[in-house]
């Protein structure tokens, strides 16, 4: 579940990064040749704010990518542990059944020995 959540958060952050990049691209395409000084200042401030947002979003995405990798590593380790435990349970069950079969065979041998009556000659 932690892995699924980490994947989801990482994908959501990717969408945020792509959204900010799209806003920057759209803002860059805007013609700023016909802007007066006040509008030019606003344009630059908005551009800087978008770049700061992009930087924060990329850093957050990197943190989430590290967390995702950690969750994947933990999931692989837990999967290996689970498989190992299943194998041990299998081996123990096999050993138990072999021992039980041996005990049963010994009982049958003892009963056969006790019930054996040699024919009188």
């Amino acid at each position: 579940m932690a892995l699924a959540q980490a994947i989801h958060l990482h994908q959501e952050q990717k969408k945020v990064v792509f959204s900010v990049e799209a806003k920057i691209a759209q803002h860059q395409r805007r013609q700023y040749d016909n802007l007066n000084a006040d509008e030019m200042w606003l344009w630059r401030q908005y551009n800087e704010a978008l770049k700061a947002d992009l930087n924060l979003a990329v850093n957050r995405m990197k943190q989430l990518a590290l967390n995702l990798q950690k969750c994947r590593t933990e999931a692989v380790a837990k999967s290996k542990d689970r498989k190992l435990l299943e194998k041990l349970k299998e081996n123990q069950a096999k050993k138990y059944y072999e021992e039980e079969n041996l005990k049963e065979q010994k009982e049958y041998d003892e009963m056969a020995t006790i019930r054996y009556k040699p024919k009188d000659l």
Side-chain angles (χ1 to χ4, degrees):
M1 297 217 6
L3 177 61
Q5 185 179 10
I7 289 171
H8 176 72
L9 289 174
H10 187 258
Q11 289 174 345
E12 290 297 318
Q13 191 63 30
K14 269 187 179 180
K15 289 178 185 176
V16 170
V17 169
F18 290 142
S19 172
V20 173
E21 287 175 342
K23 285 181 183 178
I24 289 175
Q26 181 182 12
H27 184 69
Q28 293 292 331
R29 284 192 299 265
R30 184 172 172 219
Q31 296 285 330
Y32 59 90
D33 294 333
N34 298 330
L35 300 177
N36 62 28
D38 292 338
E39 291 172 339
M40 180 62 87
W41 181 83
L42 285 174
W43 186 90
R44 286 183 181 156
Q45 291 298 316
Y46 184 65
N47 193 42
E48 288 175 15
L50 285 175
K51 287 180 181 178
D53 288 347
L54 178 63
N55 192 22
L56 288 174
V58 167
N59 286 337
R60 174 81 173 132
M61 189 172 71
K62 287 178 183 177
Q63 289 174 346
L64 290 172
L66 289 174
N67 186 39
L68 176 61
Q69 186 62 33
K70 178 184 156 197
C71 287
R72 280 187 180 141
T73 303
E74 287 176 1
V76 168
K78 287 180 182 180
S79 175
K80 285 180 183 178
D81 288 346
R82 190 184 81 241
K83 287 180 183 179
L84 180 63
L85 285 175
E86 287 175 3
K87 188 70 174 175
L88 287 173
K89 283 181 185 178
E90 245 178 61
N91 289 344
Q92 285 180 344
K94 186 178 177 181
K95 186 177 178 182
Y96 172 77
Y97 289 125
E98 286 175 358
E99 288 174 358
E100 288 299 311
N101 283 336
L102 239 134
K103 285 180 187 177
E104 190 175 324
Q105 188 62 42
K106 284 182 181 178
E107 285 179 20
Y108 289 148
D109 289 346
E110 284 180 27
M111 285 192 321
T113 304
I114 292 172
R115 290 186 181 177
Y116 176 73
K117 293 182 182 177
K119 292 184 181 179
D120 290 334
L121 296 172

